[in-house]
Amino acid sequence: MRGDPPMDEEFATPGNFSYATEYAHDAGRGVREETVRYISKVKGEPRWLLNFRLRALQIFETMPIPPWIPVDLTPLQFDQIRCYLAKNQESKRRWEDVPAEVKATFDRLGIPENERKFLAGVEAQFDSEVAYSNLRRSFAEKGVIFVDSTEGLLQYESVFRQHFGKVVPAADNKFSALNSAVFSGGSFIYIPKGTKLDQPLQAYFRINAEQFGQFERTLIVVDEDAEVTYLEGCTAPRFESSTLHAAVVELVVMPRAKVQYITVQNWSSNVYNLVTKRGIAHESAEIRWIDCNIGSRLTMKYPCVVLAGTHARGEMVSISVAHHGQYQDTGAKMIHRTSHTTSHVTAKSISIGDGIAAYRGFTQAMKGAKNCKNYTRCDALMIHPESVSKTSPTLDVRGDLSRVQHEATVSRVSDEQLFYLRQRGLGEDQAMGLLVNGFLNELLREFPMEYGVELKRLIEMEMEQR
Amino acid sequence: MEYGRLSAVLPSDGILNVPTEFFLIDDLPAEACYELRLDVNAHCKFALHLGRQGRKIRRQVTFALCGTNSRLDAHVLIQAATNQRIEWQGIQRHLVPDANSNLLIKSIAGAGARVSITSKIIIDPLAVGSCAHFRNKNLVISSRAHVIARPELEIFANDVRCSHGAAIGGTDPAEEFYLRSRGIPPPAAKTILKRAFAEEILRQIPDDDQIIGPPNKIANEY
């Protein structure tokens, strides 16, 4: 996410750097029982987790691919995907201890620099395992836990097991079943009661290998009256073959707690990004998903908030940019399970070239839930005549005491706007970049400043490539 | 503008070409599926009141804008009384440039009723300069009612103006309070609010007892 890094000779284009590397652990190709047993054995997991994985594998094998998936998944070749590639089993606490080539990758992404500047803790995942994980001492002393999921499972089993797989069960969908069977890496975070982190925690997910599947699993438990902001960034190099990213994120937000989960993904165009994200907000708790999806061949991501306690609040802010040949199928789910809950969704999408940007949403006010309020707004901007935009929300309301609203508009950059800016001396690309940033500006302000600036630059670069 | 009832003018294949100015009223039985095609410069006003046709009512309607400068103004009122099931599946399809379509659907759902409204706007790649709007407002007047709305857009051309909006909710407590503070008892206040809600559609439909009944009667049915 750092802008304009100096180019090393071995890296051809910015953000596209990759190199051959040796792995100590390789589960081979395909998703089979041996793969699952290998991962579990290498990680030294308890019996209950192996059984959980094997059950999930059965579900994955029997569950069909949902018929509504908009893109042919044949290029993924599940029997050719490598599910587990790791250099080591333990994440390093000191940056100096991280293997040189892994360090080189993350150095270029600006991780140590950002950690010093504005982060409370950092985790960096390279393919299947977390290479580096560190939390500031002051937060560790308050009882904050920020480790990779394997360490969380082995060292904090009681908390981990209590919530693991409860928010997103293995049978939720085919890809959550796949993740449950072969997951590795991801974060486990626990914020104790009353602890408010004034600086964000951050995770970087990097895919380096070809024909690889990254299946990280993140579990965040925020205890009563606590607050945390979690940032995740994702990148991968460009290969001829397809790469799969099938993550699962579970948030458990206790009464009066707040979580802000920010994702900035800039996947290369060979990545299929099929992610399940869901959080449960208990009484007066708040969950905010802030999502920016750029890149990937196909992204299917519908972060969900289950509003399980009264006065709980859910929010989704989503930006997606679909370039040539890309399909951004994003959206949000808001499930109002109890009374006096509110949710808000704002989604903006941009289609460039023959890119397809789709919003798929679901808002439900369940039986007996009273005074639930939801407002959803989707705006789509289409840059070229061949661009495509789709919107398909579902509003499902039982009872007469809730209010649910959805609005959507589709428009293009008008010739008059372009003419006005060009008349004032801007080139066509600059003018288009400015107009697109203007369209997104309201949402870009929701990101931390450092990210917002980088995102603006990234979107300008996307517009230059159009 | 010509005036016609679908039961009288719809051919057996379920496709009706609307050549010029035409005001159509759907008075078909409980389950019906048809397509209205608008030719060049055609202007179709369409009105439908669903609710009296039976316990289970279903409509699959396609409005195909096949001629340039064609225009559709469609109004649908759905009144689902106790335990009624009403389903609407509609498509506004723009196949040629410079066509215009507006669809407004309002529903009122009573006790135990289930209303499902799916409406999709499709703009084909050649249909530049299209203008398509869909609005859906659903009034829920019972804690046992269930409303599902699915407004959808599929846009394959960029020089267009399209929007859709859907809302589901009960009567406004502030409006009810206003009426009650002026001495109107709660049931009458609710009836006035329902009638006001339906008015935007009812005024589009000719006063015809056989089709819709007088507005007062509709609003007092619950």
Side-chain angles (χ1 to χ4, degrees):
Chain A
M1 278 307 300
R2 220 170 35 155
D4 303 330
M7 292 297 297
D8 296 334
E9 281 179 9
E10 68 268 31
F11 301 135
T13 54
N16 197 30
F17 44 94
S18 72
Y19 41 78
T21 188
E22 294 294 320
Y23 293 98
H25 306 283
D26 183 350
R29 291 183 187 274
V31 187
R32 301 183 304 274
E33 190 176 328
E34 304 88 81
T35 319
V36 171
R37 288 187 183 277
Y38 177 87
I39 296 170
S40 190
K41 188 179 172 190
V42 163
K43 294 166 86 69
E45 290 173 350
R47 185 79 199 168
W48 69 265
L49 191 52
L50 174 63
N51 291 338
F52 173 86
R53 285 180 183 274
L54 291 171
R55 275 199 307 275
L57 179 67
Q58 275 182 352
I59 295 167
F60 170 70
E61 285 169 342
T62 52
M63 200 178 257
I65 290 177
W68 48 269
I69 285 191
V71 168
D72 178 23
L73 295 184
T74 315
L76 267 179
Q77 294 181 301
F78 288 112
D79 57 340
Q80 289 301 310
I81 275 185
R82 292 186 287 179
C83 294
Y84 186 76
L85 291 170
K87 282 181 156 307
N88 52 293
Q89 284 305 305
E90 286 179 9
S91 55
K92 306 298 181 193
R93 291 282 181 265
R94 284 164 20 115
W95 189 244
E96 295 73 33
D97 298 336
V98 175
E101 68 267 35
V102 176
K103 210 158 61 175
T105 307
F106 288 118
D107 266 334
R108 289 173 59 80
L109 291 165
I111 287 172
E113 191 187 319
N114 286 344
E115 184 181 2
R116 277 192 299 275
K117 271 204 269 181
F118 68 96
L119 299 175
V122 160
E123 187 182 277
Q125 179 165 338
F126 190 85
D127 290 335
S128 293
E129 290 292 358
V130 173
Y132 172 68
S133 172
N134 192 28
L135 178 70
R136 285 198 181 175
R137 188 187 294 247
S138 56
F139 293 115
E141 283 168 358
K142 286 180 181 172
V144 175
I145 300 167
F146 180 36
V147 292
D148 65 89
S149 61
T150 308
E151 196 177 333
L153 161 72
L154 297 175
Q155 291 195 12
Y156 308 98
E157 189 176 339
S158 58
V159 188
F160 189 92
R161 194 174 175 180
Q162 185 186 346
H163 301 289
F164 174 78
K166 303 289 194 300
V167 184
V168 181
D172 188 77
N173 62 72
K174 189 171 180 76
F175 299 99
S176 68
L178 174 61
N179 176 286
S180 301
V182 295
F183 78 90
S184 57
S187 312
F188 169 63
I189 297 170
Y190 174 75
I191 313 292
K193 277 183 191 176
T195 305
K196 295 181 181 178
L197 268 64
D198 49 6
Q199 289 173 303
L201 301 172
Q202 178 146 8
Y204 291 87
F205 297 99
R206 168 72 183 170
I207 294 177
N208 190 65
E210 195 171 359
Q211 273 201 325
F212 174 68
Q214 191 172 56
F215 305 101
E216 85 265 15
R217 184 115 191 171
T218 295
L219 171 61
I220 301 178
V221 181
V222 187
D223 222 324
E224 292 172 25
D225 300 294
E227 287 180 20
V228 66
T229 296
Y230 179 82
L231 303 164
E232 66 172 8
C234 316
T235 62
R238 193 173 299 133
F239 293 116
E240 288 302 312
S241 56
S242 300
T243 301
L244 174 62
H245 177 248
V248 167
V249 176
E250 298 177 286
L251 309 182
V252 181
V253 187
M254 297 301 190
R256 299 171 303 281
K258 286 183 184 175
V259 173
Q260 189 163 240
Y261 193 108
I262 301 172
T263 305
V264 178
Q265 67 165 57
N266 185 17
W267 293 116
S268 56
S269 54
N270 60 310
V271 175
Y272 286 73
N273 184 35
L274 312 169
V275 176
T276 309
K277 291 180 167 180
R278 188 172 302 150
I280 291 192
H282 293 281
E283 189 190 335
S284 302
E286 182 178 327
I287 294 177
R288 291 187 89 207
W289 297 103
I290 301 178
D291 226 41
C292 180
N293 301 300
I294 300 174
S296 81
R297 168 73 188 92
L298 167 68
T299 288
M300 292 180 69
K301 194 199 284 182
Y302 322 103
C304 172
V305 181
V306 180
L307 299 145
T310 52
H311 300 288
R313 186 172 185 278
E315 188 172 348
M316 171 78 199
V317 173
S318 169
I319 294 174
S320 60
V321 181
H323 222 294
H324 294 282
Q326 296 176 353
Y327 202 124
Q328 298 284 359
D329 196 328
T330 57
K333 288 183 189 172
M334 295 291 169
I335 315 290
H336 294 255
R337 235 163 57 179
T338 53
S339 303
H340 307 290
T341 49
T342 54
S343 62
H344 197 279
V345 179
T346 314
K348 295 208 177 202
S349 67
I350 298 169
S351 314
I352 304 167
D354 63 358
I356 302 172
Y359 172 84
R360 205 185 289 270
F362 183 67
T363 305
Q364 187 177 38
M366 294 177 80
K367 197 174 178 182
K370 294 172 187 171
N371 296 323
C372 302
K373 287 179 186 161
N374 163 271
Y375 178 70
T376 301
R377 178 164 185 87
C378 302
D379 292 319
L381 190 66
M382 299 169 77
I383 303 295
H384 291 108
E386 63 273 27
S387 305
V388 178
S389 174
K390 297 182 180 183
T391 310
S392 51
T394 300
L395 286 62
D396 185 332
V397 176
R398 286 170 191 266
D400 57 340
L401 294 171
S402 296
R403 280 176 183 238
V404 174
Q405 287 174 285
H406 170 95
E407 284 180 41
T409 60
V410 179
S411 59
R412 68 167 190 151
V413 172
S414 74
D415 293 339
E416 288 81 8
Q417 288 171 318
L418 269 179
F419 177 72
Y420 178 86
L421 291 174
R422 295 203 65 189
Q423 204 186 27
R424 271 140 188 85
L426 295 183
E428 192 178 333
D429 289 341
Q430 277 179 305
M432 189 62 93
L434 195 65
L435 290 167
V436 167
N437 270 323
F439 173 74
L440 296 176
N441 197 42
E442 172 197 348
L443 301 192
L444 289 173
R445 280 186 299 200
E446 298 292 332
F447 289 83
M449 194 183 75
E450 293 82 358
Y451 270 68
V453 171
E454 289 298 328
L455 275 175
K456 275 191 178 181
R457 204 179 302 168
L458 205 57
I459 288 162
E460 278 166 9
M461 280 167 63
E462 289 285 318
M463 297 315 298
E464 283 166 18
Q465 292 166 21
R466 73 198 165 86
Chain B
M1 184 168 268
E2 276 186 77
Y3 168 89
R5 295 181 183 185
L6 268 175
S7 59
V9 296
L10 194 69
S12 57
D13 62 359
I15 298 172
L16 177 68
N17 287 300
V18 183
T20 53
E21 292 202 340
F22 217 90
F23 188 174
L24 279 168
I25 291 184
D26 175 344
D27 57 349
L28 297 168
E31 295 221 5
C33 169
Y34 54 88
E35 180 173 330
L36 299 182
R37 290 183 182 169
L38 277 69
D39 289 340
V40 180
N41 295 327
H43 182 190
C44 178
K45 281 193 168 190
F46 173 87
L48 165 60
H49 171 225
L50 282 179
R52 295 188 153 194
Q53 291 85 343
R55 185 66 66 191
K56 276 180 87 173
I57 302 169
R58 195 158 173 263
R59 279 289 182 284
Q60 265 186 292
V61 181
T62 301
F63 301 105
L65 289 102
C66 306
T68 52
N69 295 317
S70 54
R71 181 183 174 87
L72 168 79
D73 290 304
H75 295 84
V76 177
L77 177 63
I78 295 173
Q79 287 187 285
T82 308
N83 297 327
Q84 248 186 328
R85 300 279 182 272
I86 302 185
E87 185 181 350
W88 165 272
Q89 289 184 12
I91 294 176
Q92 286 162 262
R93 180 155 202 171
H94 286 241
L95 295 140
V96 293
D98 301 319
N100 205 314
S101 68
N102 287 293
L103 171 60
L104 170 62
I105 299 179
K106 286 193 170 190
S107 82
I108 303 174
R114 187 180 192 275
V115 175
S116 170
I117 296 166
T118 305
S119 190
K120 185 187 273 190
I121 293 175
I122 302 175
I123 308 288
D124 278 22
L126 294 175
V128 290
S130 291
C131 187
H133 303 286
F134 167 64
R135 285 187 299 146
N136 173 216
K137 296 179 181 181
N138 304 286
L139 181 66
V140 188
I141 54 170
S142 162
S143 59
R144 294 196 298 115
H146 184 190
V147 177
I148 301 170
R150 290 190 196 90
E152 298 181 6
L153 289 174
E154 279 190 19
I155 315 292
F156 297 93
N158 77 334
D159 187 9
V160 297
R161 278 179 294 152
C162 296
S163 68
H164 69 197
I168 306 173
T171 48
D172 187 342
E175 288 172 356
E176 270 189 66
F177 177 77
Y178 177 87
L179 293 171
R180 290 180 65 185
S181 68
R182 270 136 190 88
I184 299 169
K190 279 238 179 211
T191 301
I192 290 171
L193 291 174
K194 280 184 291 185
R195 199 158 76 196
F197 177 80
E199 180 63 26
E200 190 180 358
I201 308 267
L202 291 174
R203 68 174 173 230
Q204 303 293 330
I205 305 173
D207 191 6
D208 183 330
D209 276 356
Q210 285 189 325
I211 299 167
I212 58 166
N216 286 352
K217 195 174 170 192
I218 287 174
N220 287 324
E221 273 178 354
Y222 296 94

